[in-house]
Amino acid sequence: MSEKGELDVTGAKQNTGMWLVKVPKYLSQQWDKALGRGEVGKLRIAKNQGRTEVSFTLNEDLANINDIRGKATSISAPRDHPFLLQNVGGQTLTVFTESSGESQTDEKADSSANEKLSLEGIVVQRAECRPAANESYMKLKRLQIEESSKPVSLTMQLDKAVTTNYKPVANHHYNIVYDKKKKEEGKRARAEKQQVLDMLFSAFEKHQYYNIKDLVDITKQPVIYLKEILREIGIYNFKGPHKSTWELKPEYRHYQNEDKSD
């Protein structure tokens, strides 16, 4: 059993040889239909004139094919699948598995502490599982082509009116809020720059720090226009106790009292 941050290399120590096999997509989908740990088929390995021949036969119970909507069809999946054996090609390929621990004594413990990463073995043989080119395979390919050409959404005629509690509205709430906000922004006409500066200096004589919302309420100016002026005379605090607030640059500061932390 491996601890957190460690790797179980039992498979490598036992020199376990693994096969890396590529299978058709439909075959893996048929395997998913198997119940529990049921049998999905039989693997046959034989010698023919000194050559190794491998084939897989799909279980007859898993041969029924469904369409893209999950309905059963009259077409069966090919059952016979000969293997095309390939060399590893000088590569070092390994197989890993990751699983969770069977028990956890502390409910608050880090979940990663119970994860187990194991090296199952080294790939010694590569292969490709191919369907036999028979009538079943041709029918399956024809079905796949027909299914791929069907639209995902279909138009249906309703026999009766839809009776739900949903009613059409002239305008949604979020649209109303957005329009109201845009209308308020439009009412804020730009004042002369000097007039805005006078209002800002007057405000900063009372307090040292302001957020942008308060300054918009004081000056009644558009946010973008107000920020352009503030960048000329002010400093924006990105951190510290007065984060996200504006204050005057040192050369413009002039307060009525000594309490600048107000």
Side-chain angles (χ1 to χ4, degrees):
M1 181 71 178
S2 64
E3 301 295 336
K4 181 179 179 182
E6 296 182 357
L7 174 66
D8 184 355
V9 292
T10 304
K13 292 179 180 178
Q14 295 176 352
N15 198 23
T16 305
M18 312 287 288
W19 281 40
L20 179 62
V21 182
K22 180 181 179 181
V23 300
K25 182 178 180 180
Y26 74 84
L27 190 57
S28 64
Q29 292 172 341
Q30 298 305 106
W31 289 348
D32 288 338
K33 297 178 182 179
L35 300 176
R37 300 178 62 86
E39 180 183 291
V40 297
K42 295 184 182 296
L43 190 67
R44 178 176 177 273
I45 303 177
K47 289 285 187 178
N48 185 8
Q49 296 180 356
R51 296 180 58 184
T52 302
E53 292 184 350
V54 184
S55 63
F56 171 76
T57 303
L58 180 66
N59 194 319
E60 186 176 1
D61 297 336
L62 300 177
N64 295 328
I65 294 291
N66 297 335
D67 60 16
I68 57 176
R69 294 174 181 82
K71 296 182 179 179
T73 66
S74 59
I75 298 176
S76 299
R79 297 188 59 199
D80 298 326
H81 297 78
F83 277 30
L84 176 63
L85 302 180
Q86 302 171 351
N87 295 327
V88 179
Q91 293 178 303
T92 301
L93 304 175
T94 55
V95 178
F96 293 90
T97 58
E98 184 178 9
S99 60
S100 301
E102 297 180 356
S103 62
Q104 184 174 348
T105 56
D106 187 358
E107 295 182 356
K108 297 182 180 180
D110 185 3
S111 59
S112 61
N114 291 324
E115 293 179 354
K116 179 181 178 181
L117 187 64
S118 303
L119 194 156
E120 299 294 338
I122 300 175
V123 176
V124 297
Q125 180 68 60
R126 297 179 64 178
E128 186 174 350
C129 179
R130 294 182 173 182
N134 51 26
E135 186 178 356
S136 296
Y137 178 68
M138 294 298 113
K139 289 181 179 180
L140 174 62
K141 293 303 294 182
R142 189 181 302 114
L143 175 65
Q144 291 176 338
I145 294 173
E146 292 174 355
E147 292 292 322
S148 64
S149 62
K150 290 181 179 180
V152 178
S153 300
L154 298 177
T155 303
M156 299 179 61
Q157 183 176 354
L158 300 178
D159 297 330
K160 58 182 180 179
V162 178
T163 56
T164 62
N165 294 327
Y166 298 104
K167 297 181 179 180
V169 295
N171 202 353
H172 292 282
H173 175 70
Y174 53 83
N175 287 333
I176 297 174
V177 174
Y178 177 77
D179 292 339
K180 182 179 179 181
K181 182 179 179 181
K182 293 295 291 183
K183 189 177 294 184
E184 290 178 352
E185 289 288 338
K187 291 180 180 178
R188 292 174 180 156
R190 291 191 177 191
E192 292 292 334
K193 182 178 180 180
Q194 187 57 49
Q195 183 180 351
V196 178
L197 287 172
D198 291 341
M199 288 187 287
L200 290 174
F201 285 130
S202 177
F204 279 110
E205 285 183 356
K206 300 175 184 177
H207 300 284
Q208 183 175 355
Y209 304 99
Y210 286 93
N211 59 42
I212 190 65
K213 183 178 181 298
D214 291 335
L215 292 175
V216 168
D217 293 338
I218 293 171
T219 61
K220 308 299 181 186
Q221 296 299 301
V223 176
I224 296 177
Y225 177 55
L226 185 59
K227 285 184 176 181
E228 291 177 359
I229 299 176
L230 282 170
R231 292 189 189 99
E232 296 181 12
I233 64 171
I235 300 172
Y236 185 75
N237 295 301
F238 289 95
K239 56 184 179 178
H242 302 288
K243 182 181 179 181
S244 302
T245 62
W246 288 87
E247 66 174 318
L248 291 177
K249 292 180 178 179
E251 58 267 32
Y252 294 111
R253 293 174 186 172
H254 177 69
Y255 306 100
Q256 291 179 344
N257 53 58
E258 297 298 328
D259 184 7
K260 297 184 181 181
S261 62
D262 188 6

